[in-house]
Amino acid sequence: MLTRLANGTIIDPAHGVNAVQRDIFIEDGRIVRAPAAMRKIDREYDLSGNIVMAGALDIHTHIGGGKVNIARVLLPEDHEQDPVAPSAGRRGGSGRAVPSTFVTGYRYAEMGYTACFEPAMLPANTRQAHLEMADIPIVDAGAYVLMGNDDFLLQLMSDGAPQALITDYVAWTMRATQALAVKVVNPGGINAFKFNQRKLDLDERHAVYDVTPRSILRALCTAVHDLGIPHPLHVHGCNLGVPGNDATTLDTITAADGLRMHLTHLQFHAYGKEGDRKFSSGAARIAERINAAQNISLDVGQIMFGRTVTASGDTMLQFRGAKHAHPKKTVTMDIECDAGCGVVPFNYRSRNFVNALQWCVGLELFLLINDPWRIFLTTDHPNGAPFTCYPHLIRLLMDREYRLEMLSGLHPAARQHSILASLTREYSLYEIAILTRAAPARSLGLGDRGHLGVGAAADVVVYRKRRNMEEMFSSPRLVFKDGKPVVQDGRIIDTPAGTVHRVAPEFDPAIARRLQRYFDRYHTVRLGNFRLGDDELLSYGRAGLSTHSCLPV
Amino acid sequence: MSTTIKDVTCPFCGLHCDDLMVAMDGDTARVVARGCDRAVSGFAQSGADPRARVQGLPVTLDQAVKHAARVLKRSHQPLIAGMATDASGCRAALALAEKTGAAVDHMHGHAVISNALVVQRRGWIMTTLTELRNRADLVLLLGTDGDSVNPRFTERCLQPRPTMGRKPRRSRQVAVIGAAALGRSLKRQISSATSITCRPNDLPEMLSVLRATLSGQAIPLPRKGPHAGRMPALKKLAARLRSAHYAVVAWAPGQLASELADIVIEGACELVADLNRFTRAAGLSLGGSDGAITALNVCAWQTGYPLRVNFAGGAPEYNPSRNACEALLERREADALLWISTLHPLPPPQRRRIPTIILAPPSRRLAALAEVFIPVAIPGLDAAGTMFRLDNVVGLPLRAVRGTTLPGAADVLNQIRGCI
C-alpha cells in the first residue's frame, strides 16, 4: 500500500530540513521516494498547514522491569486516581506516576512517541524487563543493561584482569540480556552498600574490592568504546542528589578522559552547596564545561511539581533519601550479586526551597547547554515526573513568558538562588525536533529512526499548529508507526506490537568458561538459563528484533 | 531409548531450581539428578486421558471452548482463580478477565496479599537467593524451616559457606523462631542451627520482644506469656543480629497463622529496618509456589495492582479483602468460576455449586467436578514458558521436555476470549 502525506511542513533535523513543505510517501512501513507519476496512491492525507516530524524517542524512561513493578505494587493510591477502562481494541489498566504497561504504550503514542528505552535493566531481571516491555503496545523498546556493581566485574578488576577480558564480559552480558546500551549506576556504590558502606566518592576505595568508582567508569567506558557500541556508557554518577555533587560531576567528566560518556538525569547531579541554605545551582558551571567537552552528552531528568515515585538502582542513595519519602514507605532490594533497587515515593512541592531550585536547575541546564545534539529531553520518568508532562516541559523551553509566569509561583528564595529569570533563550521547533527525535536516535545508533529520509521506518507524527506548544504536543493529529496510522485526533486507532532494538557485539568466547566457573560457584541460576535467547524474546509477542551495528575499534 | 536433559527448570515450587537432570523415555519424564520429592512427583505426572469434557462427557476442544465462553458470557460476576500457570497463561487470563468483567485471585492469594499489604503500609528491605547464599552470615527463619515450603532451600542457600563479605569463608549462623517441630527439622539440615520455640500465634510478641531487646529497651517482663523462659535465648539472638554483617530474616507467608500473617511480616520488616540503621540486613519471603509470584508480577504490570482485582466496572478495581477468591464464593457474589491449575490437577474450593470451568493437567476427578474441563499442558514439562522465582526478581525459562498434543493454558484462554 502506498500512502502519501501531502503538503505537510516538514521538520527533519537529521537532514537539515527546517519547515519545508513537501510530500512524504510511505510503503511497506518505510519512507520511500516519490513514485512515478502513473502509480496509484492508495491513501492520501492532506496535511496543509500541519507540522510533520519523525516519531519521538524517549532515551531514558523507566517503563519495564523489577523496580517499576515494585513501584506499582507499592502505590495502589497512585493508580486509584487514574483508572483506565478497556475499550474497543484497547486494554485497560491504570495510570498516573507509574502507569500499567498498556496505558504506558497508549499515552506515549498519543503524544507522538514511537520508541522508549528502559535505562536500567538488571541482568538478573532481564526476562521481566523484556516481558513487561512486550506488554507495552505500539512503541518500540530497548534496554540498557546495568553493570558496574556486579561482584563478577569487581572481582575481575580486583584481580587486575586485563581490559580485554572486561570488554569481553561487557559484550557477553549485552548479548545475554538483549541490550542496546550499557548503563552504570553509582559505580561500585550499590555493591559497597551491601558491605555496609554508606557513601562512595569518585576516588574512594570500595571496602572489599580494589576498585574505585573512577576505575569502574574507566573500565566500562573503554569497553563500550572498544566494542563500538553506538550509545556511549550511560552514567548515573556518584552522589545523586547530594548538595555539592556538581564537583563530582565535573570530576566524572574528567574521568571520561576524552572517551564518549552520557551523563543521565544530570539535573540530579548539578547541585552546589553555596549560600545560606547550603544548596545551590551548579548548572552554569557544568554547562560551561559540557559546552566545551564534545565527548559528553546528557539528558536532563527535569522535575515537575506533584506526586511521583523515584525508582532507581541506586540503593545507597535511595536508602539515604528514604527519610524524604512521601508517603512514608520505601522499598530497598539487594539483588543477585548483580545490583539492587530502591523505590521512594516523592512529592515535589513548588513552595519547598529545595524542590523549587531543582526545577530551576533542570531548566538552566536546558537553556545553558548550547548543542541540542548532545542534550535530550527527559524527566527520568517517573523519578523527576511522569512522562505525560513532556508537552508542558516543551512549552517551558519554547515560551519564556510562560516560564517566567511559572517561576513567579515558586519558593521566593529559590527564585533568588537561580539565574533562570535572566535566561532569554527560547527553543525553536527545529531544536525540539533535535532533542526528541534526531539526536537520541543518532546517539543510540538507530539508523532508521528519528528522521524522515528515504529508507527510514515510517514513524511519523503530524501536529496541528498551535500557539500553545503544550496543546500542540499533547495531541497530534496523526501518528504513524511503521507506516500504520495508530493515533488519529488524539485517539488510539490501532495497537501493533513494537520492535526490540539491540546490539550484538562480538567477543572472545573464552569469557564463557570463566563465567561458567563463577556461576557454578556463586550463582543460583545456571549460566545457560541466565541468557535470554532470540526465540524466547520473540515468543513474548514482539514484532521483531532490530540489531544495530557496532563499529569496534 | 532414553535421552537425558541437563539444567532443566523445575516449575513445581517457588525456588524454581534450574539444575535438574531429567531423563526422557518416550512420554515419560523422570528426574534423575537434583530433584526433591516434589520435583520427582511433578515430572512423573502422566498425560493420560487428554480429552476435554462438558458435564463429564468427552467433547472436542472446540466444543469445550465454546461452552466455556457461554458460561462466562451468561455470568454477571465471573471469578478467575487458581492462576497457577506461567507468565503467558497469566497474560491470557488477565485479558479474558478484562473482557468478561471477572475478578482475579491466585490460589495462594492470601500469602501474596499478606506481603503486599505490608509493602503498601510501610515498604520493606529485601534480598534475593544469590545474595543470601553468598553474603548472609546470619539467617533468622520465622515460623518456617524453609525446606517444608521450598524443599531445596537449605541445601542451595544455607548449607554453602558464604563467600562474599568483609570476612569471607566464615560460617553461617542459622536460627529459627517457631514451633518445636520446625527447629527439629531445621537441625536435621543444619546441625549448628539454634531454635527458640513458640506457638505460631505468639510470633508477633516474640518479634516485639526481640526488637525491644535489640534496641536496648528494658522490658517489664510478665512472668507468664510466650516469652517466659525465652529471654536468655532472645537476648543472645539479639546480640548475634547486632554483630552480623548481613542478616537475613525469612518467612513463608503461607505458613504463618492466617489472620496474623501481615502482623508477623510487618514485625520482620521492622526488625530488618532497625538493623539497617547500623549494619546490613534484609528480608526474604519464601514460598511463591504454583506461579504465585508470576501471577503477582503480571497482574501488577498489566493492571497496577498485585492480584485481587475486579474488572466488573471496566477498569481494574483493587480490593484485597473483597476480591479474595474465598470471599467472593462465600458471599455468593461470583456466579461462575474459571479455575486454572496447570501444574497439578488441584481442585477449586467448593463452597457452593456454581458453573465451574477447570483448566488443569488431565484428571478424571476434576473432570467429574466441572461443568467444563479442559486438560492443558504442564508448563516446564509439556510446554515452554517463563516463571518468576520466590524472590520476585529472577525469571526462569521453562522447557518443553515432553511432547504433548495438549494445548497450553494461554492458548485455551485466548480461544475462549475469541468466542466472547
Side-chain angles (χ1 to χ4, degrees):
Chain A
M1 192 174 93
L2 184 64
T3 303
R4 173 157 70 181
L5 309 183
N7 307 319
T9 304
I10 313 294
I11 300 183
D12 184 16
H15 297 98
V17 176
N18 188 4
V20 175
Q21 190 178 319
R22 67 171 165 82
D23 294 355
I24 287 177
F25 294 89
I26 300 173
E27 191 168 31
D28 298 330
R30 297 268 151 188
I31 293 176
V32 294
R33 273 176 216 296
M38 61 280 210
R39 267 207 65 186
K40 183 174 159 281
I41 307 284
D42 300 293
R43 194 151 188 198
E44 175 153 334
Y45 295 86
D46 181 11
L47 308 183
S48 305
N50 293 164
I51 306 274
V52 181
M53 294 185 190
L57 294 91
D58 194 341
I59 200 166
H60 188 108
T61 172
H62 297 281
I63 49 168
K67 62 191 173 313
V68 186
N69 223 27
I70 289 169
R72 290 190 185 104
V73 172
L74 184 67
L75 292 169
E77 59 270 44
D78 179 65
H79 312 308
E80 273 153 19
Q81 290 175 33
D82 190 8
V84 179
S87 54
R90 277 184 68 160
R91 300 287 303 273
S94 56
R96 252 205 50 82
V98 260
S100 59
T101 47
F102 304 118
V103 174
T104 300
Y106 304 144
R107 292 200 172 156
Y108 261 117
E110 281 164 0
M111 299 192 310
Y113 276 74
T114 50
C116 300
F117 297 90
E118 163 58 50
M121 173 175 69
L122 271 57
N125 192 235
T126 294
R127 285 191 172 80
Q128 181 172 1
H130 281 291
L131 261 169
E132 276 190 43
M133 289 192 289
D135 272 342
I136 299 177
I138 305 174
V139 294
D140 288 353
Y144 315 156
V145 66
L146 204 66
M147 300 189 74
N149 283 287
D150 41 313
D151 289 88
F152 180 77
L153 176 71
L154 303 193
Q155 285 181 7
L156 273 188
M157 291 183 64
S158 252
D159 296 347
Q163 177 67 40
L165 204 60
I166 294 169
T167 303
D168 283 337
Y169 170 53
V170 170
W172 180 89
T173 305
M174 295 189 81
R175 294 284 284 263
T177 61
Q178 303 277 2
L180 179 64
V182 181
K183 161 103 175 282
V184 62
V185 172
N186 187 353
I190 303 169
N191 186 285
F193 182 60
K194 295 172 184 171
F195 295 93
N196 203 27
Q197 224 170 337
R198 300 288 167 126
K199 82 178 228 324
L200 195 67
D201 270 325
L202 190 60
D203 291 306
E204 199 169 341
R205 196 179 168 278
H206 185 288
V208 171
Y209 298 119
D210 187 14
V211 295
T212 62
R214 185 189 295 270
S215 70
I216 295 168
L217 281 174
R218 180 79 200 161
L220 291 176
C221 258
T222 306
V224 169
H225 174 262
D226 290 353
L227 292 168
I229 309 298
H231 189 56
L233 182 67
H234 200 89
V235 177
H236 156 152
C238 320
N239 293 329
L240 174 132
V242 177
N245 65 9
D246 54 348
T248 315
T249 299
L250 295 173
D251 289 344
T252 304
I253 294 171
T254 309
D257 200 14
L259 291 178
R260 291 189 316 136
M261 185 188 269
H262 178 85
L263 300 175
T264 191
H265 42 67
L266 193 60
Q267 178 276 130
F268 289 110
H269 302 267
Y271 307 143
K273 53 180 176 188
E274 278 118 52
D276 46 355
R277 292 166 189 262
K278 307 284 179 228
F279 186 71
S280 58
S281 170
R285 238 182 306 171
I286 289 174
E288 189 186 345
R289 182 67 180 280
I290 287 176
N291 284 336
Q294 292 297 318
N295 57 319
I296 302 296
S297 61
L298 71 132
D299 64 271
V300 171
Q302 178 67 33
I303 70 140
M304 291 293 174
F305 302 114
R307 279 183 171 207
T308 190
V309 55
T310 64
S312 169
D314 197 342
T315 46
M316 180 185 266
L317 273 297
Q318 289 289 75
F319 180 80
R320 208 194 296 181
K323 57 180 178 289
H324 301 299
H326 182 96
K328 278 268 170 281
K329 51 182 180 181
T330 61
V331 173
T332 306
M333 273 193 89
D334 298 321
I335 296 174
E336 288 299 274
C337 300
D338 192 2
C341 78
V343 180
V344 182
F346 217 88
N347 187 11
Y348 293 106
R349 291 173 300 134
S350 60
R351 291 293 179 171
N352 170 289
F353 167 73
V354 171
N355 298 162
L357 194 59
Q358 288 180 295
W359 185 86
C360 296
V361 168
L363 291 175
E364 287 173 9
L365 286 170
F366 270 117
L367 299 171
L368 291 169
I369 289 170
N370 300 326
D371 181 1
W373 288 92
R374 291 193 286 128
I375 182 169
F376 313 117
L377 187 137
T378 67
T379 56
D380 186 16
H381 163 82
N383 296 346
F387 65 83
T388 41
C389 68
Y390 285 168
H392 173 67
L393 175 54
I394 290 172
R395 186 176 180 198
L396 288 169
L397 298 179
M398 295 185 72
D399 183 344
R400 178 168 186 245
E401 208 175 307
Y402 180 63
R403 194 159 68 219
L404 291 175
E405 190 187 317
M406 293 293 115
L407 182 65
S408 68
L410 304 196
H411 190 285
R415 295 205 305 266
Q416 284 154 16
H417 277 69
S418 170
I419 57 164
L420 190 57
S422 69
L423 299 177
T424 56
R425 182 173 172 192
E426 291 183 331
Y427 270 83
S428 65
L429 269 180
Y430 187 74
E431 285 176 313
I432 294 294
I434 297 173
L435 249 60
T436 55
R437 275 90 172 160
R442 192 161 90 176
S443 178
L444 293 170
L446 314 181
D448 62 349
R449 309 274 161 176
H451 68 91
L452 297 172
V454 168
D459 295 350
V460 184
V461 188
V462 179
Y463 298 102
R464 286 196 180 84
K465 275 187 197 157
R466 298 276 180 91
R467 195 186 292 269
N468 180 335
M469 290 298 159
E470 186 168 345
E471 283 173 15
M472 178 170 133
F473 281 97
S474 296
S475 183
R477 180 184 159 195
L478 286 163
V479 179
F480 296 86
K481 179 74 186 74
D482 294 309
K484 283 197 189 89
V486 291
V487 174
Q488 192 162 13
D489 298 316
R491 267 189 329 114
I492 301 285
I493 54 171
D494 194 7
T495 61
T499 292
V500 178
H501 295 275
R502 60 160 186 193
V503 291
E506 299 294 331
F507 57 90
D508 179 347
I511 188 68
R513 284 199 295 277
R514 195 152 180 154
L515 278 158
Q516 185 72 60
R517 287 199 298 276
Y518 176 86
F519 269 68
D520 288 349
R521 173 150 186 227
Y522 298 105
H523 227 291
T524 52
V525 174
R526 304 291 296 156
L527 183 68
N529 290 327
F530 196 76
R531 276 194 294 261
L532 172 62
D534 290 2
D535 291 343
E536 195 184 344
L537 176 53
L538 284 167
S539 79
Y540 296 169
R542 281 307 194 169
L545 305 177
S546 184
T547 310
H548 299 280
S549 31
C550 299
L551 296 169
V553 178
Chain B
M1 200 189 79
S2 116
T3 49
T4 309
I5 311 165
K6 273 179 18 180
D7 291 350
V8 173
T9 306
C10 172
F12 297 110
C13 100
L15 212 49
H16 293 308
C17 303
D18 68 337
D19 58 353
L20 272 59
M21 200 182 278
V22 175
M24 287 306 305
D25 195 351
D27 279 349
T28 311
R30 194 161 49 86
V31 180
V32 290
R34 289 180 285 282
C36 65
D37 292 351
R38 221 179 288 183
V40 167
S41 64
F43 277 93
Q45 292 180 84
S46 96
D49 193 21
R51 280 180 301 180
R53 286 168 192 268
V54 170
Q55 292 164 353
L57 301 173
V59 294
T60 64
L61 175 63
D62 189 50
Q63 288 168 324
V65 161
K66 287 200 170 105
H67 195 90
R70 273 196 297 275
V71 169
L72 292 174
K73 262 194 287 193
R74 268 200 300 268
S75 163
H76 296 290
Q77 175 63 76
L79 167 61
I80 299 182
M83 290 290 280
T85 176
D86 65 347
S88 66
C90 290
R91 290 162 96 192
L94 283 159
L96 180 60
E98 189 179 89
K99 185 128 191 200
T100 56
V104 180
D105 194 9
H106 187 272
M107 59 172 74
H108 303 314
H110 183 71
V112 170
I113 289 294
S114 300
N115 279 337
L117 289 175
V118 175
V119 174
Q120 289 165 358
R121 279 205 294 266
R122 64 164 316 286
W124 60 10
I125 299 169
M126 300 292 273
T127 194
T128 67
L129 298 180
T130 304
E131 295 289 353
L132 168 72
R133 175 185 159 111
N134 293 292
R135 235 178 277 280
D137 53 355
L138 172 56
V139 177
L140 171 59
L141 296 161
L142 297 175
T144 182
D145 60 352
D147 285 1
S148 58
V149 59
N150 301 115
R152 290 177 65 202
F153 174 68
T154 53
E155 174 217 318
R156 297 187 61 214
C157 300
L158 299 188
Q159 283 171 0
R161 270 173 180 265
T163 55
M164 294 170 182
R166 285 181 188 249
K167 286 184 190 150
R169 310 301 300 166
R170 72 215 177 286
S171 64
R172 189 190 329 264
Q173 306 178 60
V174 180
V176 61
I177 306 180
L182 297 176
R184 285 196 297 274
S185 64
L186 183 64
K187 276 176 204 163
R188 279 197 289 275
Q189 301 302 319
I190 316 264
S191 56
S192 63
T194 56
S195 62
I196 300 176
T197 308
C198 76
R199 290 178 308 170
N201 284 354
D202 294 333
L203 262 175
E205 186 162 351
M206 298 297 275
L207 271 171
S208 302
V209 175
L210 180 61
R211 285 186 58 213
T213 311
L214 189 72
S215 65
Q217 289 176 43
I219 312 150
L221 270 184
R223 290 190 181 280
K224 288 181 184 162
H227 51 260
R230 309 276 187 274
M231 275 318 288
L234 284 168
K235 273 190 182 153
K236 209 164 154 187
L237 178 59
R240 286 157 71 196
L241 283 165
R242 181 169 274 284
S243 60
H245 289 158
Y246 195 98
V248 172
V249 181
W251 62 87
Q255 288 187 317
L256 298 170
S258 172
E259 64 286 5
L260 291 176
D262 62 320
I263 309 287
V264 175
I265 297 164
E266 187 156 0
C269 293
E270 295 292 348
L271 173 64
V272 167
D274 292 347
L275 290 167
N276 274 292
R277 281 180 223 207
F278 54 92
T279 184
R280 282 309 319 279
L284 180 76
S285 176
L286 298 172
S289 298
D290 298 302
I293 304 300
T294 307
L296 155 76
N297 264 329
V298 176
C299 191
W301 80 60
Q302 289 205 350
T303 70
Y305 305 110
L307 289 169
R308 296 195 170 170
V309 292
N310 195 337
F311 292 95
E317 193 184 276
Y318 171 62
N319 191 322
S321 50
R322 183 175 170 183
N323 296 331
C325 171
E326 290 74 12
L328 286 165
L329 293 174
E330 188 102 331
R331 284 199 313 274
R332 306 187 165 211
E333 213 170 320
D335 58 1
L337 172 66
L338 168 56
W339 179 256
I340 304 169
S341 178
T342 67
L343 296 163
H344 299 283
L346 301 177
Q350 281 294 329
R351 300 285 167 103
R352 176 177 166 247
R353 303 293 292 182
I354 54 173
T356 300
I357 304 155
I358 298 180
L359 269 56
S363 155
R364 281 174 197 281
R365 190 166 66 104
L366 290 195
L369 276 180
E371 171 80 14
V372 184
F373 179 79
I374 304 180
V376 293
I378 299 176
L381 174 54
D382 301 321
T386 309
M387 286 179 98
F388 290 99
R389 209 168 67 178
L390 57 86
D391 52 19
N392 207 20
V393 173
V394 177
L396 272 313
L398 307 178
R399 280 197 251 183
V401 293
R402 176 170 82 173
T404 182
T405 54
L406 289 175
D411 184 18
V412 172
L413 292 164
N414 287 332
Q415 285 188 43
I416 296 174
R417 183 163 55 100
C419 296
I420 292 174

